[in-house]
Amino acid sequence: MRDTTSDGHLRIGLIATDPLRIIGLQAIFSESGFEVIALSVPGALDASGVSLILIDAACTDHLFELLATFHRRRPRLRLIVIGVQEDHEYIQRVIGAGAKGYLTHTAKESEIRMAIEIVQDDSLWAPRKVLARLLESSAAETASAALGSAPKFTGREAQVLRLLVAGSPNREIASALGIDAVTVKAHVGRIMRKVGVANRIALTVETLNRNLLEE
């Protein structure tokens, strides 16, 4: 699935109805080097080439049904919800429904950019307390699972994993290690296969629970 323009800029789909909010988000994205594709026209998604979509929760009374539909029909799409609610239970429900991230309408430009980078790297973005609950829940589900011998990492894989567990997106890991983001993504894929997990959140949980980075 194509999710960048010919010059490498990220293409982002936007589902919103408030004209002022649309203009504001488009201004932020333009300054950040992102291309915004409005998805208000039926069929626009099919031709957009996006893999990440921002959904303004205020534009629908059926947010969870919309998330469920995307999750079921287009599981490869990364979804970020922008809403007014800050209740942790609500945000956790949004993440549980299939969103990869949640931002409030008062989020700063730097926070929006960071959320997009984190989600684009197949990780989650939410308030720290919500992420802590999700990590605790994931840890509880795997606590009783039989664990095999600890996987062996190369020196570079261990460096990548340490930065990943610290919360760094691929772009920052690449910059810190002097390699490109494609190489980082390849390392992360190999590490996940060695650990036996399918995503970065699970990789972080397993790494911490099993002390996989201890010398």
Side-chain angles (χ1 to χ4, degrees), residues 12-31:
I12 299 172
L14 176 61
I15 298 177
T17 55
D18 184 333
L20 291 179
R21 189 162 295 133
I22 292 174
I23 291 174
L25 288 172
Q26 286 179 328
I28 290 175
F29 296 148
S30 176
E31 293 176 1

mmCIF file of all heavy atoms in Angstrom, residues 12-31:
data_model
loop_
_atom_site.group_PDB
_atom_site.id
_atom_site.type_symbol
_atom_site.label_atom_id
_atom_site.label_comp_id
_atom_site.label_asym_id
_atom_site.label_seq_id
_atom_site.Cartn_x
_atom_site.Cartn_y
_atom_site.Cartn_z
ATOM 1 N N ILE A 12 -1.672 11.505 4.671
ATOM 2 C CA ILE A 12 -2.569 11.268 5.790
ATOM 3 C C ILE A 12 -4.009 11.533 5.366
ATOM 4 O O ILE A 12 -4.312 12.565 4.780
ATOM 5 C CB ILE A 12 -2.223 12.184 6.982
ATOM 6 C CG1 ILE A 12 -0.800 11.916 7.464
ATOM 7 C CG2 ILE A 12 -3.213 11.996 8.119
ATOM 8 C CD1 ILE A 12 -0.332 12.899 8.506
ATOM 9 N N GLY A 13 -4.890 10.582 5.683
ATOM 10 C CA GLY A 13 -6.306 10.780 5.431
ATOM 11 C C GLY A 13 -6.937 11.528 6.599
ATOM 12 O O GLY A 13 -6.542 11.342 7.748
ATOM 13 N N LEU A 14 -7.905 12.374 6.327
ATOM 14 C CA LEU A 14 -8.546 13.165 7.374
ATOM 15 C C LEU A 14 -10.062 13.048 7.250
ATOM 16 O O LEU A 14 -10.637 13.346 6.205
ATOM 17 C CB LEU A 14 -8.131 14.630 7.259
ATOM 18 C CG LEU A 14 -8.793 15.617 8.244
ATOM 19 C CD1 LEU A 14 -8.458 15.241 9.683
ATOM 20 C CD2 LEU A 14 -8.350 17.048 7.937
ATOM 21 N N ILE A 15 -10.693 12.570 8.330
ATOM 22 C CA ILE A 15 -12.148 12.485 8.381
ATOM 23 C C ILE A 15 -12.628 13.501 9.408
ATOM 24 O O ILE A 15 -12.464 13.310 10.619
ATOM 25 C CB ILE A 15 -12.622 11.075 8.770
ATOM 26 C CG1 ILE A 15 -12.166 10.051 7.726
ATOM 27 C CG2 ILE A 15 -14.141 11.034 8.899
ATOM 28 C CD1 ILE A 15 -12.538 8.624 8.063
ATOM 29 N N ALA A 16 -13.169 14.610 8.931
ATOM 30 C CA ALA A 16 -13.635 15.688 9.798
ATOM 31 C C ALA A 16 -14.676 16.505 9.043
ATOM 32 O O ALA A 16 -14.707 16.489 7.811
ATOM 33 C CB ALA A 16 -12.477 16.575 10.232
ATOM 34 N N THR A 17 -15.514 17.215 9.792
ATOM 35 C CA THR A 17 -16.567 18.024 9.164
ATOM 36 C C THR A 17 -16.502 19.499 9.558
ATOM 37 O O THR A 17 -17.048 20.337 8.857
ATOM 38 C CB THR A 17 -17.964 17.482 9.534
ATOM 39 O OG1 THR A 17 -18.073 17.413 10.958
ATOM 40 C CG2 THR A 17 -18.183 16.100 8.940
ATOM 41 N N ASP A 18 -15.855 19.822 10.668
ATOM 42 C CA ASP A 18 -15.743 21.204 11.113
ATOM 43 C C ASP A 18 -14.725 21.927 10.228
ATOM 44 O O ASP A 18 -13.536 21.626 10.272
ATOM 45 C CB ASP A 18 -15.300 21.249 12.568
ATOM 46 C CG ASP A 18 -15.259 22.661 13.138
ATOM 47 O OD1 ASP A 18 -15.072 23.622 12.359
ATOM 48 O OD2 ASP A 18 -15.420 22.803 14.373
ATOM 49 N N PRO A 19 -15.159 22.925 9.435
ATOM 50 C CA PRO A 19 -14.242 23.611 8.509
ATOM 51 C C PRO A 19 -13.035 24.234 9.197
ATOM 52 O O PRO A 19 -11.912 24.143 8.692
ATOM 53 C CB PRO A 19 -15.133 24.692 7.876
ATOM 54 C CG PRO A 19 -16.522 24.161 8.007
ATOM 55 C CD PRO A 19 -16.540 23.423 9.320
ATOM 56 N N LEU A 20 -13.244 24.847 10.372
ATOM 57 C CA LEU A 20 -12.133 25.489 11.079
ATOM 58 C C LEU A 20 -11.112 24.453 11.553
ATOM 59 O O LEU A 20 -9.895 24.679 11.490
ATOM 60 C CB LEU A 20 -12.657 26.292 12.267
ATOM 61 C CG LEU A 20 -13.472 27.540 11.914
ATOM 62 C CD1 LEU A 20 -13.959 28.228 13.181
ATOM 63 C CD2 LEU A 20 -12.636 28.516 11.074
ATOM 64 N N ARG A 21 -11.613 23.308 12.036
ATOM 65 C CA ARG A 21 -10.699 22.272 12.503
ATOM 66 C C ARG A 21 -9.920 21.679 11.334
ATOM 67 O O ARG A 21 -8.734 21.379 11.450
ATOM 68 C CB ARG A 21 -11.478 21.178 13.241
ATOM 69 C CG ARG A 21 -10.589 20.172 13.947
ATOM 70 C CD ARG A 21 -11.364 19.399 14.982
ATOM 71 N NE ARG A 21 -11.813 20.276 16.059
ATOM 72 C CZ ARG A 21 -13.051 20.275 16.550
ATOM 73 N NH1 ARG A 21 -13.951 19.452 16.101
ATOM 74 N NH2 ARG A 21 -13.376 21.097 17.524
ATOM 75 N N ILE A 22 -10.590 21.513 10.211
ATOM 76 C CA ILE A 22 -9.924 20.981 9.023
ATOM 77 C C ILE A 22 -8.805 21.922 8.583
ATOM 78 O O ILE A 22 -7.675 21.500 8.307
ATOM 79 C CB ILE A 22 -10.930 20.783 7.877
ATOM 80 C CG1 ILE A 22 -11.910 19.653 8.222
ATOM 81 C CG2 ILE A 22 -10.197 20.465 6.570
ATOM 82 C CD1 ILE A 22 -13.029 19.484 7.215
ATOM 83 N N ILE A 23 -9.102 23.233 8.547
ATOM 84 C CA ILE A 23 -8.109 24.220 8.127
ATOM 85 C C ILE A 23 -6.918 24.212 9.094
ATOM 86 O O ILE A 23 -5.761 24.257 8.678
ATOM 87 C CB ILE A 23 -8.742 25.626 8.060
ATOM 88 C CG1 ILE A 23 -9.750 25.689 6.905
ATOM 89 C CG2 ILE A 23 -7.659 26.687 7.874
ATOM 90 C CD1 ILE A 23 -10.540 26.984 6.854
ATOM 91 N N GLY A 24 -7.226 24.148 10.396
ATOM 92 C CA GLY A 24 -6.164 24.142 11.390
ATOM 93 C C GLY A 24 -5.255 22.937 11.261
ATOM 94 O O GLY A 24 -4.026 23.056 11.304
ATOM 95 N N LEU A 25 -5.854 21.750 11.097
ATOM 96 C CA LEU A 25 -5.063 20.528 10.965
ATOM 97 C C LEU A 25 -4.255 20.536 9.670
ATOM 98 O O LEU A 25 -3.090 20.118 9.651
ATOM 99 C CB LEU A 25 -5.983 19.310 11.013
ATOM 100 C CG LEU A 25 -6.595 18.986 12.375
ATOM 101 C CD1 LEU A 25 -7.640 17.887 12.247
ATOM 102 C CD2 LEU A 25 -5.510 18.570 13.367
ATOM 103 N N GLN A 26 -4.875 21.023 8.595
ATOM 104 C CA GLN A 26 -4.158 21.071 7.324
ATOM 105 C C GLN A 26 -2.957 22.000 7.414
ATOM 106 O O GLN A 26 -1.902 21.721 6.837
ATOM 107 C CB GLN A 26 -5.099 21.523 6.202
ATOM 108 C CG GLN A 26 -6.099 20.448 5.785
ATOM 109 C CD GLN A 26 -7.054 20.916 4.696
ATOM 110 O OE1 GLN A 26 -7.396 22.100 4.643
ATOM 111 N NE2 GLN A 26 -7.467 20.003 3.843
ATOM 112 N N ALA A 27 -3.089 23.102 8.157
ATOM 113 C CA ALA A 27 -1.975 24.033 8.326
ATOM 114 C C ALA A 27 -0.833 23.366 9.084
ATOM 115 O O ALA A 27 0.341 23.498 8.716
ATOM 116 C CB ALA A 27 -2.442 25.288 9.064
ATOM 117 N N ILE A 28 -1.184 22.637 10.153
ATOM 118 C CA ILE A 28 -0.173 21.929 10.940
ATOM 119 C C ILE A 28 0.538 20.890 10.080
ATOM 120 O O ILE A 28 1.769 20.783 10.083
ATOM 121 C CB ILE A 28 -0.815 21.259 12.163
ATOM 122 C CG1 ILE A 28 -1.250 22.324 13.174
ATOM 123 C CG2 ILE A 28 0.161 20.265 12.824
ATOM 124 C CD1 ILE A 28 -2.009 21.755 14.353
ATOM 125 N N PHE A 29 -0.244 20.117 9.326
ATOM 126 C CA PHE A 29 0.334 19.052 8.511
ATOM 127 C C PHE A 29 1.218 19.614 7.408
ATOM 128 O O PHE A 29 2.263 19.049 7.083
ATOM 129 C CB PHE A 29 -0.767 18.189 7.908
ATOM 130 C CG PHE A 29 -1.578 17.461 8.934
ATOM 131 C CD1 PHE A 29 -2.927 17.201 8.719
ATOM 132 C CD2 PHE A 29 -1.016 17.046 10.120
ATOM 133 C CE1 PHE A 29 -3.684 16.530 9.666
ATOM 134 C CE2 PHE A 29 -1.761 16.375 11.073
ATOM 135 C CZ PHE A 29 -3.096 16.121 10.844
ATOM 136 N N SER A 30 0.789 20.725 6.828
ATOM 137 C CA SER A 30 1.567 21.333 5.754
ATOM 138 C C SER A 30 2.938 21.774 6.261
ATOM 139 O O SER A 30 3.963 21.540 5.611
ATOM 140 C CB SER A 30 0.816 22.540 5.188
ATOM 141 O OG SER A 30 1.593 23.203 4.204
ATOM 142 N N GLU A 31 2.972 22.378 7.458
ATOM 143 C CA GLU A 31 4.234 22.824 8.036
ATOM 144 C C GLU A 31 5.115 21.640 8.422
ATOM 145 O O GLU A 31 6.339 21.761 8.477
ATOM 146 C CB GLU A 31 3.959 23.692 9.269
ATOM 147 C CG GLU A 31 3.278 25.019 8.935
ATOM 148 C CD GLU A 31 2.931 25.814 10.181
ATOM 149 O OE1 GLU A 31 3.247 25.331 11.277
ATOM 150 O OE2 GLU A 31 2.349 26.903 10.049
#
